[in-house]
Amino acid sequence: MSDVILEIRDVETYYGKIHALRGISFSVEAGEIVTLLGANGAGKSTTLRTISGLNRAKAGSISFMGEEITTKSPHEIVSMGLIHVPEGRRIFKGMTIKENLELGSFTLKDESERRRRMEHVYELFPVLHERRQRDAALLSGGEQQMLAMGRALMTDTKLLLLDEPSMGLAPFMVQGIMKIIKRLNAEGVTILLVEQNAKAALKLADYGYVLETGEIVVKGKAGKLQQDESIVKAYLGE
Amino acid sequence: MSTLDILLQQLANGLILGSFYALVALGYTMVYGIIKLLNFAHGDLYMCGAFIGFLFLSLVSGLLGESWGGILCSMILSMITVGLLGVLIQRVAYLPMLAAPRLSILITALAVSMVLSNGVMALTDGEYEAFSTDLGFEGLEMGNVFVTYTQIALVVSAALLMVTLFFFINRTMYGKAMRAIAIDQDACRLMGINVNKVITLTFFIGSALAAAAGVMAGVYYGSVHFFMGFVIGLKAFTAAVIGGIGSIRGAMLGGLVLGLLEAFGTQIPFIGSEWKDVFSFGILILLLVFKPTGLLGKTEIERM
């Protein structure tokens, strides 16, 4: 058995008065790709925001690499190596691509380590290297996603939370992004992937959970979920 | 004096005035950029800077004299003290209001402004204090244009401070974090940036720059007064808006532009120096009508 890197237990989160997460529990093992699926508003993004500390859990506990992080602030969680690429990419428009990447390495103190990681990101996404001095706002949607992922890899990333990386992208771009996710996983990064594109996500993942109105309604090995037509029809709308 | 000489003399005057405006405008624009607050207490920090510089100068003058050594030392001490005062204000008055509606924090800023100016009024009995220095009146004479070494030194110091700030904002990690927070706070949290710490740093730097301008103004005008921050606060705000509020380069440019316009404005027949405030606020109104985003500002819908 491999180690559990992320453990979520009975977590409840509210958005004002809306009960967005109604007690969800799941875990992610080191080295896995786990995907969270479900319709719009099911609570997928809220789950990620609660893990990374942007939203506070009202009840339950979250632990990362054996350490409780439920009440830690986002910047402390990031410095432990848990990196969240939010929905909509949220790159810093008005700053250059290079500056965006540098900000991703804010928690790094070592300059040579920063350079080494930047080389790695440029190797993964050559287009970012070509345009490194340009305003990030000028990138296309797919390139912005690359920048958001590249920025997340600028530090000692152990667990990567990806929120809808394929959203709004052309099909060939989706394939490219999925390939990159697979490669990062092969390089040792554990991945928790939120997707609307269930087909693409299940093809990649080891394990999947389906969320509906703030609760986990189905879970299982990705291969099984993929074959189970009733699940696919009922929850994933394919 | 020929017309050209008059214009050159006003150019020199405008640059000095403009450097003060620019230094104060920078703090306005940095705080606005990062937490979208118009910090109406900012002009009062300039005033506090002048008074604290005055106090330090009288303390160190025995040791360092009242010339450049003493002035530089008291300016640095005043910058640190007022920087910390700015941080204290942010922590005590603004931090608890960040989640409240925008208007509440704006009114808090007005209250802080009154506390500072009235506090200093009470401490000084509302008197003018003579900011005496040993700086002479020697200077450079170019034709009929005369600029004292003090004036040159003030403009050079202001320029040095601005270049340092520019380097900090564009080249260091914390400077980049500051710019990034102005764009997207949550995304900054996800980069591992301690947003509150950077906001605190912004207040420190902005307040310290205002203090530097305050000390310089004390040296330049030769006196300090509890009310001196009011008009410059409004002028610096005008300068920040002219340049495009939220933009660092805009604040520098806006300050210089406003200083120069005022200096040249005094030469326009029927306007003269008594009307210079009307002139600068008139420019503000015209700008708000025709180019509300300022010279270097970006078009952005902003709620207040």
Side-chain angles (χ1 to χ4, degrees):
Chain A
M1 284 303 285
S2 49
D3 299 331
V4 171
I5 188 167
L6 182 74
E7 172 100 63
I8 318 267
R9 226 172 250 290
D10 306 321
V11 164
E12 295 185 43
T13 305
Y14 287 79
Y15 262 119
K17 283 196 172 135
I18 299 164
H19 200 174
L21 298 183
R22 302 162 178 266
I24 63 166
S25 304
F26 67 93
S27 61
V28 177
E29 286 180 13
E32 274 186 333
I33 299 180
V34 171
T35 181
L36 281 181
L37 305 168
N40 255 339
K44 306 184 302 285
S45 292
T46 309
T47 305
L48 296 193
R49 290 176 61 91
T50 308
I51 296 169
S52 64
L54 287 178
N55 288 36
R56 267 289 139 79
K58 196 130 198 179
S61 76
I62 305 167
S63 66
F64 175 58
M65 298 198 304
E67 197 175 327
E68 170 101 20
I69 59 167
T70 324
T71 58
K72 278 198 191 326
S73 38
H75 70 266
E76 293 170 312
I77 294 172
V78 169
S79 65
M80 296 171 72
L82 191 164
I83 315 294
H84 177 185
V85 179
E87 191 178 0
R89 290 113 202 189
R90 307 284 283 266
I91 57 168
F92 299 112
K93 293 178 183 172
M95 299 180 81
T96 66
I97 288 158
K98 184 158 176 268
E99 285 174 328
N100 267 271
L101 292 177
E102 284 168 341
L103 284 162
S105 68
F106 190 82
T107 55
L108 284 186
K109 295 284 165 274
D110 184 10
E111 197 57 42
S112 62
E113 173 77 0
R114 176 170 300 145
R115 251 191 312 254
R116 201 182 61 72
R117 288 193 179 273
M118 200 171 287
E119 288 305 313
H120 181 233
V121 170
Y122 284 153
E123 190 229 320
L124 283 172
F125 308 107
V127 63
L128 297 182
H129 182 255
E130 267 165 49
R131 307 192 179 169
R132 61 193 180 280
Q133 297 299 348
R134 292 181 63 184
D135 187 336
L138 300 173
L139 294 176
S140 74
E143 291 161 347
Q144 290 189 15
Q145 184 59 45
M146 292 176 187
L147 178 57
M149 288 174 63
R151 192 174 62 171
L153 297 170
M154 282 298 294
T155 187
D156 188 13
T157 308
K158 299 195 172 72
L159 172 62
L160 192 58
L161 312 182
L162 295 171
D163 198 344
E164 308 244 8
S166 75
M167 189 163 60
L169 302 188
F172 79 96
M173 263 300 186
V174 175
Q175 274 182 13
I177 294 285
M178 294 297 161
K179 240 185 225 159
I180 293 283
I181 295 174
K182 201 163 191 173
R183 170 162 171 199
L184 293 176
N185 183 244
E187 286 176 11
V189 180
T190 309
I191 285 161
L192 178 56
L193 172 68
V194 157
E195 261 301 338
Q196 292 243 38
N197 187 342
K199 223 188 227 162
L202 286 173
K203 217 188 271 173
L204 212 62
D206 299 301
Y207 212 85
Y209 294 88
V210 181
L211 274 172
E212 196 182 46
T213 55
E215 282 169 289
I216 290 174
V217 285
V218 176
K219 60 179 173 182
K221 286 221 159 71
K224 277 234 174 78
L225 293 182
Q226 226 173 346
Q227 284 158 7
D228 194 330
E229 276 188 23
S230 64
I231 291 172
V232 173
K233 260 203 194 111
Y235 301 108
L236 309 174
E238 298 273 332
Chain B
M1 281 176 106
S2 69
T3 316
L4 182 67
D5 289 337
I6 292 173
L7 288 181
L8 284 175
Q9 188 70 57
Q10 292 309 331
L11 179 69
N13 294 344
L15 279 178
I16 294 168
L17 198 58
S19 329
F20 295 164
Y21 290 161
L23 283 179
V24 183
L26 278 169
Y28 253 115
T29 223
M30 285 167 76
V31 166
Y32 182 82
I34 206 160
I35 58 171
K36 301 287 176 278
L37 162 70
L38 291 175
N39 183 11
F40 285 120
H42 194 62
D44 299 282
L45 289 168
Y46 159 93
M47 178 271 297
C48 290
F51 269 95
I52 291 168
F54 166 73
L55 275 180
F56 278 123
L57 186 60
S58 51
L59 285 176
V60 302
S61 60
L63 209 64
L64 296 165
E66 287 189 337
S67 189
W68 288 116
I71 291 171
L72 187 66
C73 174
S74 45
M75 184 166 109
I76 291 168
L77 289 171
S78 172
M79 286 174 75
I80 295 170
T81 315
V82 174
L84 293 174
L85 178 65
V87 170
L88 183 76
I89 291 168
Q90 182 249 327
R91 284 288 158 102
V92 174
Y94 300 151
L95 193 60
M97 306 297 284
L98 280 183
R102 201 67 73 77
L103 198 55
S104 318
I105 190 163
L106 207 62
I107 292 169
T108 310
L110 282 173
V112 172
S113 163
M114 285 178 200
V115 167
L116 291 176
S117 58
N118 287 286
V120 173
M121 179 181 75
L123 288 172
T124 59
D125 293 327
E127 302 281 347
Y128 279 86
E129 304 281 346
F131 201 114
S132 61
T133 59
D134 282 343
L135 301 174
F137 293 96
E138 301 86 28
L140 281 181
E141 211 174 328
M142 292 162 284
N144 287 319
V145 182
F146 183 73
V147 196
T148 65
Y149 291 129
T150 309
Q151 291 173 322
I152 295 173
L154 290 177
V155 173
V156 170
S157 329
L160 279 178
L161 284 171
M162 285 190 259
V163 169
T164 311
L165 177 75
F166 206 69
F167 180 83
F168 171 78
I169 292 286
N170 288 305
R171 291 289 150 83
T172 68
M173 265 328 233
Y174 270 94
K176 285 171 192 169
M178 225 172 246
R179 286 160 56 212
I181 288 177
I183 300 169
D184 188 338
Q185 284 204 10
D186 267 353
C188 283
R189 293 194 170 89
L190 296 180
M191 302 297 107
I193 296 167
N194 184 342
V195 170
N196 280 337
K197 197 166 146 189
V198 179
I199 291 175
T200 299
L201 183 68
T202 308
F203 268 85
F204 182 88
I205 294 173
S207 310
L209 290 175
V215 175
M216 290 181 190
V219 170
Y220 184 57
Y221 297 115
S223 71
V224 290
H225 185 245
F226 76 92
F227 212 57
M228 67 187 280
F230 179 72
V231 170
I232 196 155
L234 291 177
K235 290 284 178 65
F237 172 61
T238 307
V241 173
I242 289 176
I245 192 142
S247 156
I248 300 276
R249 268 183 293 183
M252 297 181 188
L253 180 69
L256 289 176
V257 165
L258 186 65
L260 289 169
L261 283 174
E262 275 191 9
F264 287 118
T266 59
Q267 300 306 313
I268 300 173
F270 309 115
I271 292 186
S273 57
E274 312 83 70
W275 289 84
K276 77 175 191 335
D277 292 354
V278 176
F279 187 67
S280 24
F281 296 127
I283 290 169
L284 174 64
I285 291 169
L286 284 180
L287 189 88
L288 288 176
V289 171
F290 293 108
K291 195 166 188 317
T293 53
L295 298 174
L296 301 180
K298 293 189 192 82
T299 312
E300 185 182 9
I301 299 159
E302 193 50 70
R303 62 268 157 206
M304 249 278 293

